[in-house]
Every structure is written in structure tokens, then in C-alpha cells.
Amino acid sequence: RKEVEQDPGPFNVPEGATVAFNCTYSNSASQSFFWYRQDCRKEPKLLMSVYSSGNEDGRFTAQLNRASQYISLLIRDSKLSDSATYLCVVKSPMTTDSWGKLQFGAGTQVVVTP
Amino acid sequence: DGGITQSPKYLFRKEGQNVTLSCEQNLNHDAMYWYRQDPGQGLRLIYYSQIVNDFQKGDIAEGYSVSREKKESFPLTVTSAQKNPTAFYLCASSSPRGAGGGADTQYFGPGTRLTVL
């Protein structure tokens, strides 16, 4: 089982609509959670960190559900420029012989259509 | 402007050749990382370095080598021993270690796309 799993999509979303998708993680002791955005053939860029209480940044809302081990991202009032692949990133817990490295999901593709 | 630069953007290698990918950052970050991205897969960690003159293998280090002689620079060499080197290579760095150490938010360079001919 992969440590971080995402629905690859694509999620086809009309402009102005709302889209939401989840990411599940396998290690219940995971410490930190992030959403990155990656445009085609570009580098990933941090979209937002995900906090335990949930957090919002403009049209983007991230939630964490530790009991069910998933995080979610919701995009309201979708813009054409939101078309991208969204990577779920989870920080593994530190142990005596390993540091808390980041585990990346393969990404969820979102396509916003006019 | 502060940031991470990678060069070249595109690289073509013949089989049996070693090639070196450059990664430089002026963010004053202690930690630097190399990842590989293949289509349909998440980023996989090749090597990382948390401090100058020290580095550790990641999940897929075989066929790769690195050095960390300067804080700003973390070059990656793809050797002829790497069986399937065609991929998108991403370098990242993270902010200085806080309490507890370990990885923090990582910022990526623009990547190098390596193709083996």
C-alpha cells in the first residue's frame, strides 16, 4: 500500500464551480500535511499547509481528519488558472534512525473549463 | 531575488555517460534534497543533505551520487549505473531546522528534464 494515495482524476470542473478531493495516508503518526500545486512540466509549489483545525486561504480550504487518516482540499469559485495537478504531501514521523521526510502523493489533476 | 536554480533545464545523455545536474540556492537553507519524478508517480527521494559536508541516501539512491561542499550547492551526478535515468529531476531546500529538526516546508527549483538517448 502506498503511504500517500490520491485519486489521479482528472476532475473536470466548470468555471465558477466548487471542487473537492481527498488524499489518504497510511501512517497514523504522520506529523505535518501540505498541499502543493504543480503545473504541467513545472516544479511543485506550496499551496498551503494543513492544520488540525482546518484552514482557509482565499478560495482554498484544507481539512485534516486524523481519525480517518485523510486530508482534503476544496476549491471554491474555480478559475481557469486553477487547472493544475495538486500534490498531497505528508511528513513522516521522526524515528531514532530516520528523519521526518516528506511523502508525496502522485497528484490529483484538476481541469477547469470555460 | 532569493530562490533555487537548477541547470540545465533539459539534458540529453548517451547510455554509459555520467552527467551532473546543478542545484544552487541563496535562501540560506541548511537542508537540500534531490527528487525524481516519473509520470503518474509521486516524487521519490534520491539523496538529501541536512548540513554542509554531510548527506544521506534517500529511497532510490542507487546509480546516483551527490556532494555538499558548500551550503548553497548540492549537485547530483547520474552515473551510468542508473538503469533508467530518464525522468524529471527536482532539487529542493528547506528552512533551517527548528526544534526537533527534520524536514520542514520544502521549496523547489524549476527542475531538469533528463533524457537518455
Side-chain angles (χ1 to χ4, degrees), chain B residues 18-50:
Chain B
N18 292 355
V19 291
T20 298
L21 283 56
S22 168
C23 177
E24 304 277 331
Q25 55 99 0
N26 60 4
L27 300 168
N28 197 34
H29 287 174
D30 286 319
M32 297 185 74
Y33 315 83
W34 273 105
Y35 293 91
R36 167 184 174 139
Q37 187 175 36
D38 294 281
Q41 296 191 38
L43 276 66
R44 292 183 290 166
L45 182 65
I46 303 172
Y47 268 97
Y48 65 99
S49 167
Q50 293 181 288

Side-chain angles (χ1 to χ4, degrees), chain B residues 64-113:
Chain B
Y64 300 98
S65 65
V66 293
S67 63
R68 186 86 188 276
E69 297 176 1
K70 298 187 299 181
K71 187 175 185 178
E72 301 79 18
S73 178
F74 191 39
L76 173 75
T77 296
V78 184
T79 75
S80 56
Q82 169 49 234
K83 299 290 183 239
N84 185 20
T86 294
F88 188 38
Y89 289 87
L90 288 157
C91 178
S93 68
S94 64
S95 55
R97 288 207 256 178
D104 206 337
T105 304
Q106 293 184 15
Y107 299 91
F108 287 85
T112 292
R113 204 163 289 274

Side-chain angles (χ1 to χ4, degrees), chain B residues 2-24:
Chain B
I4 306 173
T5 57
Q6 290 185 243
S7 62
K9 187 172 182 179
Y10 298 97
L11 185 58
F12 298 90
R13 190 195 93 171
K14 293 181 181 178
E15 287 200 18
Q17 279 184 335
N18 292 355
V19 291
T20 298
L21 283 56
S22 168
C23 177
E24 304 277 331

Side-chain angles (χ1 to χ4, degrees), chain A residues 2 34 36 38 40-46 49 87 91 94 98-107, chain B residues 10 33 35 37 40-43 45 48 50 59 88 90 100-106 108-110 113:
Chain A
K2 292 181 182 178
F34 309 89
Y36 277 73
Q38 186 173 25
C40 188
R41 302 179 73 82
K42 300 284 190 180
E43 75 273 23
K45 293 185 178 177
L46 179 67
S49 300
L87 307 181
K91 180 179 173 182
M94 291 179 67
S98 74
W99 59 296
K101 69 178 182 179
L102 298 184
Q103 301 286 352
F104 289 79
Chain B
Y10 298 97
Y33 315 83
Y35 293 91
Q37 187 175 36
Q41 296 191 38
L43 276 66
L45 182 65
Y48 65 99
Q50 293 181 288
D59 299 320
F88 188 38
L90 288 157
D104 206 337
T105 304
Q106 293 184 15
F108 287 85
R113 204 163 289 274

Side-chain angles (χ1 to χ4, degrees), chain A residues 42-58:
Chain A
K42 300 284 190 180
E43 75 273 23
K45 293 185 178 177
L46 179 67
L47 179 66
M48 59 197 301
S49 300
V50 185
Y51 303 122
S52 297
S53 55
N55 50 300
E56 191 174 300
D57 183 0

